[in-house]
Amino acid sequence: MKYFLGIVRIGLFAAAACLLTSHAGAQSQGPSAYAITHAKIFTLAGSTIEDGTLLIRDGKIVAVGARLDIPAGAQVIDAKGLQIYPGLFDSITQMGLREIGAVSATVDSAETGSYNPDVVAATAVSPSSEHIPVTRAAGITEVLAVPASGGMDSFGSEGVIGGQASAINLAGWAIDEMLIKKSAAMVLNWPEIETRTFDFATFSRKEKPFTEARQEYDKKVNELTDWLERARHYAQVMEKSSPAKYDRDLRLEALVPVVRGELPLLIFADRSREIRNAVEFCDKQRLRMILAGGAEAYKVKDLLRSKGVPVILRPMLTLPLDDDDPYDRLLSQPAELAAAGVKFGFASFDNSFARRLGQNAANAVAHGLPYEEALKAVTVYPAKIFGLDDQIGTIEQGKLANIIVTNGDPLELTTDVKYLFIRGQLTSMDNRHLRLYEKYSKRPKSAN
């Protein structure tokens, strides 16, 4: 990642070290066992338990049900009148990779160059990011940190192959404490056929012939194909030879799990033509694909369903792609995809508004998406899409105790998170927004 990140952390963040250390770890070193009693428990793995008990020990859920015996030594939390849900999962962010989008020295979300499959997001995540406590206070317990993923607050070149996305918990003093899965997907920004570009020198748009734009597109796709073919040859060499007999190539080595079908490609594409081309490419190359963005996924929903391609959708409160699209084109798309049998999840695609993940899902409910589907699209579905459902996404015995205890529906803006557990530990919800609110709410009234 960028060489100046170390300088940034020393120079920019050291000035706020005393503030950051107050919440970086954010987990109490309390008991290893908890019993949350008399709560309404939404397991998302079966029926809702009206008056249930959830038992946690050593970071895991050990039991969930009605009328459970409370083990000796467990800290008891009476949650009468409250509800328990799995923690929300924001499945595309730059969490810990970018602090202030307008200040390039605080951004480490993209590497230089077009092909960087060996870049791993986890190696650059800053556990002291101020975005982390703000985000978890909204009930989000885990995220996918995705390099070269764009977003409204992004900075730097996206490239073609951006690197490996990492699934992390939103609590921990060091990345080793936060990791759920170091490499959850390989990021690929699908090439576009661009006939219109913006010239920053003249601050004007430029048009180019379609044939020229198509040639540029074909060149990029051919380069991508060449990378995959080289990775296949490299995989064969790895299988048949000892490391001493060949020159190690870290970039090709990183692509080996992709060509073997062990690691999915998280492909960013919005237009239906790009989506169709990406699906056909992955089908031909025998690659596992997850679509990211998908603004026009509804136009190719039958193709996505038939090929088993899931979608991670962008936030929907934005303008449609085309002037003649209905104003609610993006808002109504989730209901269409659900009806067509396409699995999808919601994500923030940035950091600043990750805290509004639940409300983003709720907006889709207002436009026809069944409520339970919306809740699962920020919990269990993204966990399944990225192969993490054996650890997170539902409240079941043996899974990580990443849960939230609320006074209402977690998709509602007015709901408060009363207790938040990450890896089975009661986790602080103190954050910069709360501290500023408390500071200015106590400001003396003006004499005037």
Side-chain angles (χ1 to χ4, degrees):
M1 289 291 186
K2 298 172 185 173
Y3 69 90
F4 51 73
L5 185 60
I7 299 174
V8 172
R9 287 175 179 164
I10 294 171
L12 181 64
F13 295 144
C18 60
L19 184 62
L20 293 176
T21 54
S22 67
H23 65 257
Q27 291 187 307
S28 63
Q29 297 302 313
S32 62
Y34 293 88
I36 308 174
T37 62
H38 302 299
K40 186 175 183 179
I41 304 176
F42 294 81
T43 66
L44 301 190
S47 300
T48 299
I49 304 170
E50 291 295 333
D51 184 5
T53 297
L54 178 65
L55 302 181
I56 299 170
R57 183 181 294 278
D58 297 330
K60 299 280 184 75
I61 298 169
V62 295
V64 57
R67 296 183 294 277
L68 297 179
D69 293 331
I70 298 175
Q75 178 175 324
V76 178
I77 297 175
D78 186 352
K80 187 174 182 179
L82 302 179
Q83 303 171 4
I84 301 178
Y85 296 86
L88 306 188
F89 181 15
D90 192 344
S91 47
I92 295 181
T93 72
Q94 298 97 45
M95 199 66 63
L97 303 177
R98 179 210 14 89
E99 198 67 12
I100 304 171
V103 181
S104 62
T106 71
V107 177
D108 199 25
S109 57
E111 188 57 272
T112 57
S114 297
Y115 295 90
N116 299 289
D118 55 322
V119 169
V120 181
T123 61
V125 168
S126 171
S128 296
S129 170
E130 288 283 3
H131 291 287
I132 290 176
V134 172
T135 301
R136 68 172 172 243
I140 299 169
T141 55
E142 60 270 342
V143 303
L144 203 69
V146 183
S149 56
M152 62 177 296
D153 293 341
S154 67
F155 177 88
S157 172
E158 293 180 356
V160 179
I161 299 180
Q164 301 167 49
S166 302
I168 59 173
N169 291 307
L170 290 188
W173 289 98
I175 188 61
D176 289 345
E177 297 176 4
M178 302 170 70
L179 270 182
I180 300 174
K181 191 173 185 179
K182 187 174 182 180
S183 182
M186 183 69 72
V187 177
L188 171 62
N189 289 288
W190 189 256
E192 300 179 32
I193 301 178
E194 297 179 296
T195 58
R196 178 179 294 181
T197 58
F198 192 82
D199 186 354
F200 284 95
T202 61
F203 226 70
S204 61
R205 293 189 180 276
K206 287 188 174 182
E207 299 284 345
K208 67 174 64 174
F210 178 82
T211 52
E212 182 181 339
R214 182 58 192 248
Q215 288 175 353
E216 293 176 356
Y217 167 82
D218 289 339
K219 180 181 178 181
K220 291 179 181 179
V221 174
N222 290 335
E223 287 177 353
L224 179 58
T225 302
D226 181 62
W227 273 92
L228 295 173
E229 287 303 314
R230 288 163 56 200
R232 288 191 174 93
H233 291 308
Y234 190 86
Q236 292 175 355
V237 172
M238 288 176 61
E239 292 174 358
K240 298 177 181 179
S241 302
S242 65
K245 294 183 178 180
Y246 62 89
D247 294 330
R248 190 177 182 190
D249 188 316
L250 294 179
R251 291 191 292 179
L252 293 180
E253 190 171 308
L255 283 173
V256 168
V258 175
V259 298
R260 286 177 174 170
E262 300 165 359
L263 185 68
L265 273 176
L266 180 62
I267 298 184
F268 285 74
D270 280 308
R271 291 290 188 179
S272 58
R273 178 171 59 187
E274 301 165 17
I275 298 170
R276 188 178 294 107
N277 289 343
V279 172
E280 292 173 354
F281 178 86
C282 288
D283 191 42
K284 181 178 179 181
Q285 294 286 335
R286 303 184 302 280
L287 306 174
R288 292 168 55 202
M289 174 179 169
I290 300 169
L291 174 62
E296 291 185 339
Y298 68 94
K299 291 184 177 181
V300 290
K301 57 182 182 290
D302 293 335
L303 174 65
L304 295 173
R305 182 193 63 245
S306 66
K307 298 299 182 181
V309 177
V311 186
I312 304 298
L313 294 170
R314 293 183 185 276
M316 296 167 288
L317 289 180
T318 186
L319 293 174
L321 291 183
D322 296 318
D323 293 341
D324 56 352
D325 283 340
Y327 79 93
D328 61 349
R329 176 65 272 172
L330 297 177
L331 289 161
S332 61
Q333 176 172 239
E336 288 186 56
L337 296 180
V342 177
K343 282 289 179 282
F344 62 88
F346 295 112
S348 66
F349 282 67
D350 72 351
N351 290 345
S352 299
F353 297 99
R355 66 188 187 278
R356 291 291 167 250
L357 178 66
Q359 289 76 58
N360 187 45
N363 287 327
V365 176
H367 288 77
L369 181 66
Y371 170 79
E372 187 173 346
E373 290 295 294
L375 184 58
K376 288 182 176 180
V378 290
T379 52
V380 61
Y381 288 163
K384 286 182 177 180
I385 288 170
F386 290 100
L388 305 172
D389 53 312
D390 61 333
Q391 300 182 68
I392 57 175
T394 58
I395 297 178
E396 295 181 87
Q397 182 178 358
K399 291 195 174 182
L400 283 178
N402 284 8
I403 65 161
I404 54 175
V405 183
T406 73
N407 63 358
D409 179 359
L411 304 190
E412 287 288 347
L413 185 62
T414 54
T415 294
D416 293 324
V417 178
K418 296 298 185 180
Y419 303 95
L420 181 140
F421 287 81
I422 296 178
R423 292 185 294 116
Q425 283 295 310
L426 191 59
T427 302
S428 170
M429 289 182 287
D430 180 39
N431 62 83
R432 183 175 178 82
H433 287 193
L434 179 60
R435 292 192 296 273
L436 289 174
Y437 167 78
E438 291 175 345
K439 175 182 177 179
Y440 287 101
S441 64
K442 295 174 183 177
R443 186 182 68 175
K445 293 184 179 180
S446 172
N448 296 329

